[in-house]
Amino acid sequence: TLLVTEFMKDPSAVSDTRGEWIELFNPNLFPVDVEGWVLSDLGTDSTVLTNGGNGIVVPPRRAAVLARNADPTLNGGVTVLATYSGFTLGNGADQIILTDLAGQLVDLVDYLDGPTWPDRAGASVSLSTRAWLTGHDDVARAWCEGESLMLGGDLGTPTYTNDICWD
């Protein structure tokens, strides 16, 4: 129901603990509430997305960002739908696993530490828009380095259309 379409694993403008974020895209014609869903990796990182029962709603056909820090003046200039804790993105190889309330896998991104995966500090890792509809989000060449300058100084397109990098 949702796709992980971009993430910042190694910000330069701010520290990792302040500047990590994950973009989710909702391709549906209806909103999706992710409150209660789990964000995890294959190791020990895991967190339940929560907003005190008020919902974390990703609008239809839109992208939204989950981050460790909600303040754009401290997180590298990112507007955030909701925050999380207990989960960090490894600067090398790691995974982003999104699981729904029923425990069903929604999306899994298993990224590596270069040379086949984008791996530049200060640049997001973004899924080419061509891969969004084809289901090729596990192909390393479908992911590219963010190129657009963000307000905080890093490169990425959180909540905006990702660059095309896959031919």
Side-chain angles (χ1 to χ4, degrees), residues 71-85:
D71 186 343
T73 63
L74 300 175
N75 73 10
V78 181
T79 301
V80 173
L81 175 65
T83 59
Y84 59 83
S85 61

Side-chain angles (χ1 to χ4, degrees), residues 2-24:
L2 296 180
L3 292 171
V4 173
T5 51
E6 188 173 11
F7 56 97
M8 177 64 78
K9 65 181 180 125
D10 190 11
S12 291
V14 295
S15 69
D16 279 6
T17 57
R18 290 186 175 182
E20 289 183 357
W21 49 266
I22 300 167
E23 178 187 75
L24 302 177

Side-chain angles (χ1 to χ4, degrees), residues 66-163:
L66 308 175
R68 294 180 49 85
N69 185 314
D71 186 343
T73 63
L74 300 175
N75 73 10
V78 181
T79 301
V80 173
L81 175 65
T83 59
Y84 59 83
S85 61
F87 178 82
T88 58
L89 297 169
N91 292 344
D94 204 355
Q95 306 81 36
I96 302 169
I97 302 170
L98 184 63
T99 310
D100 67 15
L101 284 170
Q104 298 296 311
L105 176 66
V106 175
D107 200 10
L108 166 77
V109 177
D110 190 358
Y111 63 90
L112 300 175
D113 185 19
T116 58
W117 278 81
D119 193 34
R120 185 169 61 153
S124 70
V125 180
S126 64
L127 182 61
S128 173
T129 54
R130 291 184 180 165
W132 291 19
L133 301 176
T134 61
H136 289 97
D137 62 333
D138 292 329
V139 178
R141 67 187 176 113
W143 294 86
C144 45
E145 291 179 356
E147 297 176 358
S148 299
L149 185 62
M150 295 169 39
L151 290 176
D154 282 331
L155 303 173
T157 57
T159 71
Y160 295 99
T161 303
N162 292 359
D163 299 314

